[in-house]
Amino acid sequence: MKTKACIFDLDGVIVDTAKYHFLAWTRLAEQIGIHFTEKDNERLKGVSRMDSLDIILEIGNVTLPESTKLEYAKVKNDWYVEYISKMTPEEILPGCLDFVRLLRAAGIKTAIGSASKNTPMILERVGIGEYFDAVSDGNVVSKAKPNPEVFLKAAEMLGVTPSECFVFEDAQAGVQAALNAGMMCVGIGSEEVLDQAHHVVPGLEGMNLEKLEIIEKGIKI
Ligand code: BG6
Ligand code: MG
């Protein structure tokens, strides 16, 4: 197999933190007087913290000075951190650990490629930090997906070329970032939403090296 590394998005691929982001953003939206729904929350997947706030303000037709926005983003993050600090290893999504173990046993490198600045805390809380050879996250990159920076940085940390990497992503912007990086991409979620990916699966359950090789060859499964 040509593939030498697999890069995983964190939120929505390894753990379901979208619910905690939703709780914290709703709390903030209510405080500002904006009605924010679970459907609106879909728009925030893979989007950076400040861009997420901008989307919420746009929904409520609210304009705020930059300093207030920074303040609000901090308040939201404090609440979010409160939620994720209670996460446990049971919250790792089905199939993730088995697949990562298979990859490592086969000598394929693994990395995280996430926009989140809270990546280290989440990895520590769910106890999977040791399974990844590199962590490229919101603390080391500045350009948000669909910019490929986060995945290119992961490849650089692993010492592999982009064409030797597979990315696993649940967000449209993330799939686009992987393609922009010149990497293969498996979408995690619905085929309708992630139609740009090379292949889409509902989750990592049942994913293995044989399937990866088939996807790499471009054969539909
Ligand atoms: C992404 C999430 O992984 O990280 C987004 O999908 C989130 O919803 C972004 O806004 C930034 O996360 P954080 O933890 O730095 O606010
Ligand atoms: Mg995600």
Side-chain angles (χ1 to χ4, degrees):
M1 202 168 35
K2 191 174 101 184
T3 302
K4 288 201 178 133
C6 286
I7 307 170
F8 296 83
D9 171 49
L10 178 67
D11 296 315
V13 173
I14 293 177
V15 283
D16 176 20
T17 40
K19 58 187 176 208
Y20 301 123
H21 279 297
F22 179 61
L23 280 175
W25 282 127
T26 320
R27 222 165 134 180
L28 183 78
E30 266 168 22
Q31 194 168 293
I32 315 172
I34 296 173
H35 181 61
F36 176 63
T37 67
E38 216 154 344
K39 191 167 167 258
D40 294 327
N41 195 49
E42 284 302 304
R43 290 179 61 192
L44 308 189
K45 283 190 180 166
V47 174
S48 74
R49 196 180 303 168
M50 291 312 286
D51 288 351
S52 298
L53 177 59
D54 280 337
I55 293 173
I56 292 168
L57 294 176
E58 182 202 301
I59 291 167
N61 220 347
V62 173
T63 315
L64 293 173
E66 199 54 33
S67 56
T68 315
K69 286 207 285 187
L70 287 171
E71 222 174 88
Y72 281 171
K74 186 190 175 303
V75 169
K76 180 266 169 180
N77 191 57
D78 288 347
W79 286 329
Y80 178 67
V81 167
E82 204 180 295
Y83 299 134
I84 60 171
S85 64
K86 296 186 191 103
M87 284 180 84
T88 66
E90 278 73 54
E91 291 181 66
I92 298 171
L93 288 169
C96 173
L97 272 188
D98 286 342
F99 181 48
V100 171
R101 283 195 189 110
L102 283 177
L103 292 171
R104 295 175 66 86
I108 294 177
K109 290 184 176 162
T110 54
I112 296 287
S114 167
S116 175
K117 289 189 161 75
N118 291 300
T119 298
M121 176 174 208
I122 296 171
L123 293 178
E124 193 265 319
R125 290 304 308 155
V126 301
I128 49 167
E130 62 182 292
Y131 288 95
F132 298 95
D133 302 300
V135 176
S136 173
D137 65 10
N139 299 297
V140 293
V141 298
S142 56
K143 298 185 197 101
K145 299 172 186 175
N147 187 290
E149 189 187 14
V150 73
F151 295 136
L152 292 175
K153 184 80 194 168
E156 186 194 312
M157 286 170 161
L158 295 175
V160 295
T161 64
S163 64
E164 292 167 334
C165 297
F166 249 99
V167 168
F168 294 81
E169 251 296 344
D170 73 313
Q172 258 177 0
V175 169
Q176 205 49 60
L179 300 183
N180 289 342
M183 298 177 179
M184 293 289 291
C185 184
V186 174
I188 307 286
S190 113
E191 209 154 331
E192 237 184 319
V193 182
L194 306 173
D195 61 341
Q196 298 292 309
H198 292 93
H199 186 71
V200 181
V201 290
L204 287 173
E205 208 157 25
M207 183 50 78
N208 56 40
L209 290 164
E210 291 72 30
K211 284 187 186 163
L212 205 61
E213 198 167 357
I214 292 172
I215 302 166
E216 188 194 273
K217 287 190 179 130
I219 303 164
K220 276 271 167 220
I221 47 170

